[in-house]
Structure formats: structure tokens, C-alpha cells
Amino acid sequence: MSEHTYRVTEIVGTSHEGTDAAIRNALARASQTLRNVDWFEVVGTRGHVENGVIGHFQVTVKVGFRLEDAGS
Amino acid sequence: MSEHTYRVTEIVGTSHEGTDAAIRNALARASQTLRNVDWFEVVGTRGHVENGVIGHFQVTVKVGFRLEDAGS
Amino acid sequence: MSEHTYRVTEIVGTSHEGTDAAIRNALARASQTLRNVDWFEVVGTRGHVENGVIGHFQVTVKVGFRLEDAGS
Amino acid sequence: MSEHTYRVTEIVGTSHEGTDAAIRNALARASQTLRNVDWFEVVGTRGHVENGVIGHFQVTVKVGFRLEDAGS
Amino acid sequence: MSEHTYRVTEIVGTSHEGTDAAIRNALARASQTLRNVDWFEVVGTRGHVENGVIGHFQVTVKVGFRLEDAGS
Amino acid sequence: MSEHTYRVTEIVGTSHEGTDAAIRNALARASQTLRNVDWFEVVGTRGHVENGVIGHFQVTVKVGFRLEDAGS
Amino acid sequence: MSEHTYRVTEIVGTSHEGTDAAIRNALARASQTLRNVDWFEVVGTRGHVENGVIGHFQVTVKVGFRLEDAGS
Amino acid sequence: MSEHTYRVTEIVGTSHEGTDAAIRNALARASQTLRNVDWFEVVGTRGHVENGVIGHFQVTVKVGFRLEDAGS
Amino acid sequence: MSEHTYRVTEIVGTSHEGTDAAIRNALARASQTLRNVDWFEVVGTRGHVENGVIGHFQVTVKVGFRLEDAGS
Amino acid sequence: MSEHTYRVTEIVGTSHEGTDAAIRNALARASQTLRNVDWFEVVGTRGHVENGVIGHFQVTVKVGFRLEDAGS
Amino acid sequence: MSEHTYRVTEIVGTSHEGTDAAIRNALARASQTLRNVDWFEVVGTRGHVENGVIGHFQVTVKVGFRLEDAGS
Amino acid sequence: MSEHTYRVTEIVGTSHEGTDAAIRNALARASQTLRNVDWFEVVGTRGHVENGVIGHFQVTVKVGFRLEDAGS
């Protein structure tokens, strides 16, 4: 059926390197347990600071994935 | 116990017909796997356009459902 | 005097049919008691679900109406 | 080149019928002058009221379209 | 690996007592099924009124929990 | 008729005790003049400070109540 | 009793002169029918344009006024 | 045809005098190149400061204008 | 001079007890170093969870205080 | 070094005259104690009403100023 | 005349590399057809995922450019 | 005492390189004068464009730091 339904889940990826790496880590982890991941949207960027330097970046992403029909 | 707890999940329903049908499709799909669905809230309306006409409407809805006690 | 003043009130219309009917119901009810209704703005769309289907749509609209001069 | 660029323009479609028709009218008009229209997002729903009934619905949509390379 | 990933889920806790108790109920219920719950954020406070008094408070909280590695 | 219409009014309750008491005060006062109060939503929490301590909490709540049919 | 309750109503003032005059017009009109008006907050500034010049400014203000005790 | 379509464009007007003058400058400039300008909405007010005094006010306005039919 | 100027600073109060205590702690700490604290506004409520129970509530408040004239 | 850093502080200016004067008062006061003030952004407009007329306008502005190097 | 007017247009830049490259691509494309581009503001970051990895980043930027006088 | 209080200040970091470098510059500068910096949150990303290329990125971050007890 071509009228797909999607679910959106919220994931926080972290990285010592930067914001893009945190996004990539979030998506990599999401893809371990979710099939058909289709898009993401960044909804927040935060981070922890330790001794005056950034310990890690924390990027919150909404991740959309296509639901398969429950009956199939 | 009368002090219920609810969970809210985010679903994107789609439809070629219009926004109400997309909402109904989202709820129909959610009810295949979730029990005790109680309310929804529309949080976004988008769509794809192909050759100058709307291919499908995409309505993002938050869906609230009552959690049953984990111990039961 | 041509410098009109308006008041904005918030109404929630409901309908079993869909969002447009809920908006029309809100405006119809507002017009029973308010004169000079001039515009509306949709500020939220929610609904109740019963046994897996939408029981009714609830659309919150801000309704603007022109105030007549208090002294007239 | 596969790294496309898009522009987003804001259009207000109107209709006596309802919100979906207002969206369709906005997209139909946008497609008269824009090529490669790809998606839309509803950002506001308002309307005018005359003599207690809705005169027309006004739906504001952001319309995204792919830019062709300026040099081509 | 020290670059953790978190998931955020949305829970509505309710209480006859007040807002803090509703938050505590939400977290207590979440901890029945989720491991490694780490933080929460209040995103909405509503309630039902019956015969002129508050029947129960409903506090919507986002709950963040650390994901364990899928392969472990 | 089962398709109810509701009106939403905005009330600021105050209390020397705390935020929950301010909410309860707002609802108690609203119920003196409004029938069929059904729900509330907190939309803001502020307060005044006098000599370094909180003089009173001010909680703004939207209060929804069912409209009776104008003709009845 | 020193724990006052306030109500907030939304008014649109208009003026050919400018935004401050539109705010003043909104408050002047509100004070014709409301006692104990205490504060306002600007929540939107719009206007109509006719033949390339601003016909009038429309400023939406939330107006807070102290409620007297219903039993008095 | 009475079902008009409008486009919304975003303009930043500036003025040494104040916010109203900045709005008027934005509209005057928009009317040099756009026909059928119908309304505006203020979406932001900023400014530059030089040597402790305001150099100029910058008011961002959304400007709505009626589209003529592309085929006419 | 009666035209006062205020400054707004953002403080996060924490408490093991609840949200009101966290607000009070924020104001008590602010009053140790700021004179003329006049009002506060809650802008966020979060918290940490340890072993399934709330470790502490964190309430972010904007705190407004009157500036004394710099020349005095 | 040409990669400047700025700090943003929040000031509430007040005036009996109007919103522009309140903005100017905020900036004048900020410049008494801050060097290198560079820009401002209006983030809220409120006011007090006394006996049916506006007692004073209160405009909240974010004020940005360039930080000098701490070591210089 | 020193009282400039600016227009703001919304562009979505994409990149396989990351968010900064997507911003740079948006600006590079905008500068092909717009003169006097002066500033940008990021208003959204999304992306597509294909087979568990990010296909491309999509960053929506508002781009401000100075309008030349229409009569020149 | 384990019930810490934090203050949040807003800093704009800039960089010719990109958004992550601008965040790092903001934190580095904040740590020159603030002790106990604990976290940050990105609240805006803008930049200047010169001759069609990005002159510098400007990232606004809220920086949270733990307050030491005023009496110590």
C-alpha cells in the first residue's frame, strides 16, 4: 500500500568531536534497532564542559522511520 | 488504581485525499499495535508535490495511550 | 469612528466529521452570542480516540470580533 | 550535481470550501510560476467570517522548490 | 565506549495531590520498564476539573534514558 | 447534542504558599462565575519578590469550560 | 484577602498613527468596560496597507485585570 | 475569481528615528516593486548601537501581497 | 527618577524536595549577591534521576532586579 | 584577534512616553556600565496601567556587547 | 541614502559532508543570483537517511541581502 | 551543601572555520572569567557574508556554571 505511516522517535547522540559526529552517532545507534530509517531533524544542541573545555556534544535528533504493516 | 500514566508517541500519517484522512490513517495504524489509545494532537502538516499537484499529505500527530501497570 | 477595536476569544469546536466541521461549529456557536465576528485563527487541533477510532476532533480557534463603542 | 539547493517561499491559499482546498489552491497557483515544486508545510490557518459564517479559509503554506543551477 | 546514546520518551504522569507528585508518578512508572533513566524535562502541565475542584493534575515529562549497545 | 463547544479563558491565580496553591486558587475563583469548568493548562509561572523572599507565586492558567447551547 | 486573582483578555487596538497609539487605544477601550486593569503585554503587531501606505496599525495586547470577589 | 492567492515576503526596514518609521520604510520600499500589497506583520525588532546610542532600528516585517493570475 | 531600569539574569535552582523549593533556593541564592530583586519567571523545569527516583529538581528562573543609577 | 566574542545581557527599559523611549532608556543605562555595546533585540513589550491609562511601557531588550580579551 | 532596506529569503542547502558544508552550499547558490548578500540565520537542520547512514544534510537558512533603490 | 545553584549567561562565539569552532571559542572565552562552567546549549546560529562567502559564523550559546556560596 502506498500510503505509508511513519513513527518519530527522539535520540540524543553524543561525541567528543563535534555536532556532525554526534548526529551520525545518533543515527548509527538508531539503525541498530530500527528498520527503514528515513529522515532526521535536529531539535537541540547541548554539551558538557569539564575543566574549561567541551567534554562532549549532545545533539537531540528526531528520527523518522517507516512502519511496516502490523499484519504482515 | 485511578492515577493513570500515559505515554505519548509521534506518528506521521499520510494520505492522497487530505489532512483528515492522514490523521485517521495515523490513528488506525497506531491502534494496530497500541492498546488504550486515548487522544491525539496534530503537531505538523506537510506534504509532497509531484508535477504541480499534491502527491500526499503528511500529518504528524502525537498519540497518547494509557499504560497498563507493568506488574499486571 | 474608523479606528476600531477588536476582542479575541478562544473557542474549541468539536465534530465527529473532521477538522473543517469542528471549525465551522466553533464559529456557529460563537455567532450565537457575539456580534461582528470578523476573523478566526486555528491555534490547535486535538481529538479523542475511542476503541481505536477518532471519537471527535477538537479544534481550538481564536475568534476576533469588533467591539462596539461602550457608550453607544 | 546531486547536492541540490532549494528555495522556500510563503503562499497563502484561500477557499470557500475548506482547509484542504485552500492548500491545493496555494500549490496550484505556485506551480503556475515555479518549476520543480517539491514539498509544502502548513504554517498557519486563519479565515474571514461574514454574517456569522466562514467567508473563506486562508491557509499559509511554505512551498519548497529545487533551484536549477544559475549557470545552466 | 564512553560516547553514550540516549533515547527520549514522553510520559504523562497524573496525581490528585499536585504537580510534583504527578512528575514522581511519571518517573516511577517509566522506571518499571526502562533501565538507565537519567533525566527528565517538564513540557506541559494540565489537569481535569470536576464540580469546581481539580480532579487530577497531568504533567507531561520527557524522560531521557541511556541506551545500551544493541549488540551487547 | 453531543458535539459540545468549549470556551477557554485565561486566569492568573496567586498564592503565598506555592505553585499548586496558585493553580487551585485560580480554579476556585473561576468556578465562582463559570459553570461546567472541564480542564486547565498552565501557560506561565511568575512571582514577586520582596526583601529577598517570594511574596507570592502567580500562575497563569487557561481554563476550558463547556458552553451551554445559547437557545436553551 | 490579599491573594488576588486576575483575568487576562485579548484586545486588538488599531491606529492610523503608529504602534504606541494602537496600544493606547486598546487600553482606553478596555477600560470602558473593565475595572481594575493592571497590566498589558503586546503579543502581535500587524497592519493593513492600502495603495502602498499603511492604512492602520493593529496591535494585539493581552490585558490583565484584577477580579473582585464574586460574592461581594 | 474571488478565491485570491497571496504571497508573503520578508523585508527588514531600518530607521534612525524609531520602530514605526522603520516599518513605514519597509513598506514604502516593498511598494516600489510589488503591486497589491495588502498587509504586514512585525516578526522581529533589532538595532545597532554605536558609541552608546542607537544607530538605527531594524524591524523585520512579513509583507503579504495578492498575486494576480499568472495567465492574465 | 521614576523611570527605572531592570536587569534580568537566569538562575537554576535545585532541590531534592520539589519544584517550589527549587524556585525558592534560586531566589535565596540570587538575593545573596543582587539587591532590589523584584520578580521571577520560570522558564524550564528539569531534573536528574538516579536508580529510578528523582535525585533533584532543577528549575530555571529568570530573575529581574532594579538597577541603581550608575552615577549614584 | 579578529574572532570576537560577545556577551548578551537582558535589560528592561521603561518609559512613560512610549516603546521607542523605553528601548532608548534601556540602552542608555546599559552603556553606563558596559563597553562596546553593539546591538540589541526586543524580546518583549509589557506595561502597567493605572486608573485606565498606561503608567509606563516596559520593553525587554537583549543587549549584545563585545568582550575584550580577559588577559589584556 | 543610509537607511537601507533588506530582503530575507529562505534557502535549503544540502551536503553529503556535514552541516557547515550545507550552509556554505546554500550561500554559494544564493550569491549566484542575489547581490549584496549580508547575513544568514540557520532556522532548521534535517537530513535523509539511506540504508542506515546519512545520505545528505539539509540546512534551512534565512539569507538577508540589501535591496538597491528601485529607481536606480 | 549538595543543592547547587547555577547561573546561565549568554555568549556569542565567532569563527571563520565553522559552527563547532565558534562554539569552542565561546566556551574558551567564558572559561577565562567564569569558574565551574558545567554545560552549554546552542540557541542560535547566524553569520556574516562578504563578497558571496561566509565571513564568520556566529553561534549563540547559553553557558551554565555553578555558583559558589556567596558567604564562602
Side-chain angles (χ1 to χ4, degrees), chain A residues 1 12 17 19 28-29 31 33 37 43 46 51 56 58 66 72:
Chain A
M1 190 188 74
V12 184
E17 286 173 55
T19 50
R29 180 61 183 79
S31 297
T33 45
V37 173
V43 296
R46 304 172 70 101
N51 300 320
H56 55 271
Q58 304 161 315
R66 183 165 48 78
S72 55

Side-chain angles (χ1 to χ4, degrees), chain D residues 9-10 12 14 16 29, chain H residues 3-4 6-8 62 68:
Chain D
T9 189
E10 197 167 321
V12 183
T14 68
H16 301 284
R29 181 60 184 79
Chain H
E3 295 197 335
H4 296 310
Y6 301 82
R7 204 158 83 74
V8 181
K62 294 212 172 195
E68 293 169 22

Side-chain angles (χ1 to χ4, degrees), chain G residues 9-59:
Chain G
T9 188
E10 196 167 320
I11 305 280
V12 183
T14 67
S15 168
H16 300 286
E17 285 172 56
T19 51
D20 285 358
I23 296 171
R24 290 188 197 277
N25 285 351
L27 269 299
R29 180 62 184 80
S31 297
Q32 286 183 349
T33 45
L34 301 174
R35 280 193 288 184
N36 308 317
V37 172
D38 198 43
W39 84 89
F40 70 88
E41 180 182 5
V42 173
V43 294
T45 301
R46 304 171 68 101
H48 277 147
V49 180
E50 289 157 20
N51 301 319
V53 293
I54 295 174
H56 55 272
F57 293 83
Q58 304 162 315
V59 183

Side-chain angles (χ1 to χ4, degrees), chain H residues 1-21:
Chain H
M1 191 188 75
S2 64
E3 295 197 335
H4 296 310
T5 310
Y6 301 82
R7 204 158 83 74
V8 181
T9 189
E10 198 167 319
I11 305 280
V12 183
T14 68
S15 169
H16 301 284
E17 287 174 54
T19 50
D20 286 358

Side-chain angles (χ1 to χ4, degrees), chain E residues 2-62:
Chain E
S2 64
E3 296 197 334
H4 295 310
T5 311
Y6 302 82
R7 207 161 78 76
V8 181
T9 188
E10 197 168 319
I11 305 280
V12 183
T14 68
S15 169
H16 300 285
E17 286 173 56
T19 50
D20 285 357
I23 296 170
R24 289 188 199 279
N25 285 350
L27 269 300
R29 180 60 185 79
S31 297
Q32 287 182 348
T33 45
L34 300 174
R35 279 194 290 183
N36 308 317
V37 172
D38 199 43
W39 84 89
F40 69 90
E41 180 181 4
V42 173
V43 294
T45 301
R46 304 172 69 101
H48 277 146
V49 180
E50 289 156 22
N51 302 319
V53 294
I54 296 174
H56 54 272
F57 293 83
Q58 304 161 316
V59 182
T60 306
V61 289
K62 293 209 173 196

Side-chain angles (χ1 to χ4, degrees), chain D residues 5-62:
Chain D
T5 311
Y6 301 81
R7 206 160 79 75
V8 181
T9 189
E10 197 167 321
I11 305 279
V12 183
T14 68
S15 169
H16 301 284
E17 285 173 57
T19 50
D20 286 358
I23 296 170
R24 290 187 197 278
N25 285 351
L27 269 299
R29 181 60 184 79
S31 297
Q32 286 182 349
T33 46
L34 300 174
R35 281 193 288 182
N36 308 318
V37 173
D38 199 42
W39 84 88
F40 70 91
E41 180 181 5
V42 173
V43 294
T45 301
R46 305 171 69 101
H48 278 146
V49 180
E50 289 157 21
N51 301 318
V53 294
I54 296 174
H56 55 271
F57 294 83
Q58 305 162 314
V59 183
T60 306
V61 289
K62 293 211 172 196

Side-chain angles (χ1 to χ4, degrees), chain J residues 12-52:
Chain J
V12 183
T14 67
S15 169
H16 300 285
E17 285 174 56
T19 50
D20 286 358
I23 296 170
R24 290 188 198 277
N25 286 350
L27 270 297
R29 181 61 184 79
S31 298
Q32 286 183 349
T33 45
L34 301 174
R35 280 193 291 184
N36 307 317
V37 173
D38 199 42
W39 84 89
F40 69 90
E41 180 181 4
V42 174
V43 295
T45 301
R46 305 172 68 101
H48 278 147
V49 179
E50 290 156 20
N51 301 320

